[in-house]
Amino acid sequence: MTLESANTLLEVRGLSCTLGANQVLNAVTLPSLHGGQLTALLGRNGSGKSTLLRSIAGLAPARADALMLDNINLTPLTARTRAEKMRFLPQSLPDFVHLTATEAVLVALKARAAVNTTTALSKVAAILDDLGIGHLGAQYLDELSGGQKQLVALAQALVHEPTVLLLDEPLASLDLNYQHHVMQLLQTLARTRGLLIIIVLHDLNIALRYANFALLLHDGALLASGEPHTVITPANLAQAFLVKARLECSGPGYSNVVVDDLIQL
């Protein structure tokens, strides 16, 4: 990854989005987000997390006082143009055509770059190996589990070597081993390649363990931001998730959220 990606800077100020009659995001301003950060995007269902990612990617009709990536104004740029620098991975993936995992990632790579087949196949194999699914390369996508398909989709995003990754609940279909495998990989990619990664997470303990920054949305606005342990607090959990909860030390450097009761359904 280039020095440019290591210095990636994303600025979001006064971002609003209305879908139909519903204002989903209300003048959201984020702290500056930098390459090398693995940022957890947290909040209840319906708080605006997916819409925020889609707005940044140019896939939702957002308005913003400023939406900048490395001093480039993203607002007038199409989603396709934004995708040259950032990749968005949605919650639900489209039905795949009858391709092998290797072919699917190869098609994604060649759609964006003129690469000779030998070089491209080597790059695809390396990405699949990094994700721990190299052994699935020859299998057809319609034969894979939902979690395995999700990992292939992540490989399709990574093969472009983006500077920003926007991941909407990529752990949802993964078993416990793969959840930690993917988070360890994302943590390494952010640190070693300077990637700016924003990932929607529902598991607060995963966020506490792996993220080095957190954003907490509540009713379409930013409630808190900062290091995860400063964002995931009993007071913020009560307001954002309507639970009575506390944090307990579960090992060297790790804390876990323990829910004692609900404030309301």
Side-chain angles (χ1 to χ4, degrees):
M1 193 60 61
T2 63
L3 181 62
E4 177 187 0
S5 64
N7 294 329
T8 295
L9 176 65
L10 178 66
E11 298 178 274
V12 178
R13 295 196 298 274
L15 188 148
S16 298
C17 180
T18 301
L19 300 177
N22 184 27
Q23 183 162 9
V24 182
L25 298 173
N26 184 16
V28 173
T29 293
L30 305 180
S32 296
L33 301 176
H34 300 269
Q37 281 184 335
L38 177 55
T39 296
L41 182 54
L42 312 172
R44 293 181 72 193
N45 291 340
S47 61
K49 302 182 300 297
S50 298
T51 302
L52 178 58
L53 290 194
R54 292 177 60 83
S55 296
I56 294 170
L59 299 169
R63 309 175 307 281
D65 296 333
L67 183 57
M68 309 284 291
L69 178 62
D70 297 334
N71 294 318
I72 297 172
N73 183 9
L74 296 177
T75 302
L77 302 183
T78 64
R80 180 175 179 82
T81 302
R82 296 186 199 192
E84 294 175 3
K85 290 287 188 180
M86 59 176 60
R87 306 298 296 184
F88 171 74
L89 185 63
Q91 289 180 36
S92 56
L93 303 173
D95 291 333
F96 286 107
V97 295
H98 191 62
L99 295 172
T100 66
T102 293
E103 289 168 342
V105 181
L106 186 63
V107 167
L109 174 60
K110 289 195 168 186
R112 283 282 176 185
V115 186
N116 73 68
T117 300
T118 301
T119 301
L121 284 172
S122 176
K123 187 171 185 177
V124 169
I127 291 290
L128 293 177
D129 284 341
D130 283 345
L131 287 170
I133 54 172
H135 62 290
L136 300 178
Q139 290 190 230
Y140 286 95
L141 294 169
D142 49 13
E143 299 171 348
L144 300 181
S145 69
Q148 290 169 333
K149 289 179 183 178
Q150 189 81 2
L151 289 171
V152 174
L154 181 57
Q156 288 179 308
L158 289 171
V159 78
H160 294 284
E161 297 188 5
T163 58
V164 179
L165 270 179
L166 306 172
L167 307 177
D168 194 358
E169 296 188 56
L171 307 186
S173 301
L174 302 183
D175 64 32
L176 189 62
N177 183 288
Y178 265 130
Q179 287 181 30
H180 286 271
H181 174 74
V182 169
M183 290 306 298
Q184 288 175 10
L185 175 66
L186 294 176
Q187 193 179 55
T188 299
L189 288 171
R191 183 179 67 250
T192 63
R193 300 189 185 185
L195 272 175
L196 167 55
I197 302 173
I198 307 176
I199 177 172
V200 173
L201 293 172
H202 280 292
D203 190 328
L204 300 181
N205 295 326
I206 288 279
L208 283 164
R209 179 160 184 165
Y210 291 106
N212 51 27
F213 201 75
L215 305 167
L216 178 58
L217 294 186
H218 177 56
D219 289 343
L222 183 67
L223 177 63
S225 64
E227 294 183 5
H229 71 277
T230 70
V231 171
I232 302 172
T233 64
N236 286 340
L237 292 173
Q239 184 173 352
F241 293 97
L242 301 177
V243 295
K244 294 179 181 179
R246 53 195 159 83
L247 271 69
E248 287 194 352
C249 180
S250 61
Y254 297 127
S255 295
N256 280 335
V257 174
V258 178
V259 176
D260 294 316
D261 202 358
L262 303 180
I263 293 175
Q264 66 181 60
L265 292 177

